[in-house]
């Protein structure tokens, strides 16, 4: 797919165009003199994508993924379907906006643990394997004091 065709398809899927840049915290910073970004409305946030650089940013910093609603949508898994995790926004656009693009991998286990079937782009398999483990609780060890014969602490 040519860059022009990709951008046309992206504009059809997006909610609009904004100008700005990605801040150090990963959030979108509006600036009329900045680069062109396409934005996509998510349930709890807005995801921005810059077609020229491939960068991704969010408005609130709350989005787990682009296309999050697909995770809990029964139609995603109907007829042996799978939730496709795309490596890039461009691949997600080529797929017609089906599947997701993970933005914050730290939440992958919690968000994806109940998905019955998942297909992952080969380029992001190491990330998927690393983050799809249940988080371990923080453990504090209390030292034992010397106990007497009745197991009472002295």
């Amino acid at each position: 797919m040519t860059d022009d065709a990709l951008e046309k398809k992206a504009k059809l899927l997006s909610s609009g165009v904004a100008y700005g840049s990605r801040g150090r915290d990963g959030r979108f910073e509006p600036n009329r003199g900045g680069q062109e970004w396409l934005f996509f409305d998510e349930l709890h946030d807005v995801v921005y994508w810059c077609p020229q650089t491939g960068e991704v940013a969010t408005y609130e910093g709350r989005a787990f993924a682009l296309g999050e609603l697909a995770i809990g949508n029964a139609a995603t898994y109907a007829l042996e379907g799978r939730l496709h995790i795309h490596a890039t926004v461009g691949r997600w656009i080529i797929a017609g906006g089906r599947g997701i693009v993970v933005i914050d991998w730290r939440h992958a286990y919690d968000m994806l643990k109940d998905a019955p079937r998942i297909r992952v782009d080969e380029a992001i398999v190491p990330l998927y394997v690393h983050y799809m483990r249940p988080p371990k609780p923080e453990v504090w060890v209390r030292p034992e004091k010397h106990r007497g014969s009745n197991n009472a602490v002295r």
Side-chain angles (χ1 to χ4, degrees):
M1 179 174 273
T2 66
D3 288 344
D4 288 340
L6 180 65
E7 199 161 336
K8 276 185 184 176
K9 195 168 187 176
K11 285 185 178 181
L12 292 173
L13 291 171
S14 77
S15 300
V17 175
Y19 295 89
S21 61
R22 183 180 194 270
R24 289 184 180 201
D25 61 358
R27 294 186 182 177
F28 182 74
E29 295 178 354
N31 177 354
R32 289 181 190 220
Q35 290 185 302
E36 181 179 281
W37 293 66
L38 298 176
F39 63 91
F40 305 86
D41 291 320
E42 289 296 322
L43 193 58
H44 301 289
D45 208 343
V46 178
V47 175
Y48 294 83
W49 176 63
C50 182
Q52 290 79 24
T53 65
E55 288 180 288
V56 177
T58 62
Y59 185 74
E60 293 285 338
R62 290 190 268 181
F64 158 67
L66 177 60
E68 267 183 65
L69 289 176
I71 297 168
N73 187 345
T76 300
Y77 312 101
L79 304 173
E80 297 298 316
R82 292 162 182 80
L83 174 66
H84 191 146
I85 304 176
H86 299 277
T88 65
V89 175
R91 292 187 59 124
W92 179 80
I93 290 166
I94 291 168
R98 289 182 297 279
I100 64 171
V101 178
V102 175
I103 296 167
D104 188 350
W105 281 97
R106 295 172 300 166
H107 301 289
Y109 179 79
D110 290 330
M111 297 298 291
L112 301 172
K113 66 183 176 190
D114 296 324
R117 289 177 298 283
I118 294 176
R119 179 175 53 199
V120 180
D121 282 354
E122 187 175 8
I124 57 172
V125 167
L127 284 169
Y128 179 83
V129 169
H130 177 76
Y131 286 101
M132 281 305 289
R133 296 182 211 166
K136 294 181 176 99
E138 186 175 351
V139 176
W140 297 36
V141 177
R142 183 178 62 154
E144 290 292 327
K145 293 185 180 178
H146 180 52
R147 296 181 183 272
S149 60
N150 65 358
N151 214 19
V153 176
R154 292 184 188 180

